[in-house]
Amino acid sequence: MTERVGFGTDLHRLVPGDGIPLGGVLVPCPFAPVARSDGDVLLHAVVDALLGAMGRGDIGERYPESKVARGESSRRFVLEVMHLLRERGGAVVNLDCVVDLERPKLGPHKDAIRASVAALLGVSPERVNVKAKTAEGMGPVGEGKAVAAQAAVLVEFGESPNG
Ligand code: MG
């Protein structure tokens, strides 16, 4: 067995809208991310973490805007990268992540986000941890102009992912 760690981050600008998709869950609020896809920062960070654990570059290389339908769900990116991971004999051990958002408060949505991300990764919710932070009114996140996320994943391979 070989274990590999992966790390990913993302940030999207917020504008007036109908909600913020986070981990595949639409959090209702009067804001929405600016993005070619649905702008799910958490799933984008998760995809980058998975690619990182595989040593396979980043989400921008794999999914340039020309290959993304306008507003399409970011769940596809996670499912495709998970398929790649399984092809290489990998499985997720656990994922830890942080969402940086000033408002709305994510407490009421954390369990749903956790369950959604776990389902996409094919693991039980106990293997996924979701944290939420505000920026105390400072910077783009604190001023409500952006939402950001970070994710760290541990992946277990039956053999070395790079042959
Ligand atoms: Mg993104």
Side-chain angles (χ1 to χ4, degrees):
M1 283 287 182
T2 301
E3 288 181 326
R4 295 288 172 93
V5 67
F7 177 64
T9 74
D10 196 26
L11 179 146
H12 281 262
R13 209 151 49 80
L14 292 175
V15 292
D18 297 329
I20 303 172
L22 289 170
V25 173
L26 184 66
V27 174
C29 65
F31 317 106
V34 177
R36 170 77 178 184
S37 68
D38 64 358
D40 192 320
V41 284
L42 179 52
L43 292 189
H44 295 180
V46 168
V47 166
D48 263 354
L50 290 167
L51 289 172
M54 286 187 276
R56 293 294 292 268
D58 66 42
I59 190 171
E61 295 167 2
R62 186 162 292 269
Y63 297 105
E65 286 203 353
S66 60
K67 290 187 179 174
V68 176
R70 195 163 293 284
E72 95 163 284
S73 169
S74 298
R75 299 159 72 93
R76 173 170 72 89
F77 312 148
V78 182
L79 292 172
E80 288 180 0
V81 171
M82 279 304 300
H83 180 74
L84 188 67
L85 181 71
R86 290 194 183 98
E87 274 185 344
R88 299 169 77 83
V92 170
V93 176
N94 76 302
L95 178 116
D96 191 17
C97 60
V98 183
V99 177
D100 299 305
L101 181 65
E102 201 69 7
R103 67 187 85 84
K105 296 292 184 200
L106 290 181
H109 306 284
K110 275 186 187 170
D111 284 348
I113 293 169
R114 183 185 202 185
S116 172
V117 172
L120 288 167
L121 299 181
V123 299
S124 65
E126 296 78 41
R127 288 173 180 257
V128 173
N129 190 64
V130 177
K131 304 194 287 286
K133 300 184 95 70
T134 68
E136 301 202 346
M138 295 184 290
V141 169
E143 292 166 4
K145 294 176 180 169
V147 56
Q150 298 90 44
V153 69
L154 185 67
V155 169
E156 193 173 59
F157 291 92
E159 55 192 55
S160 172
N162 299 320

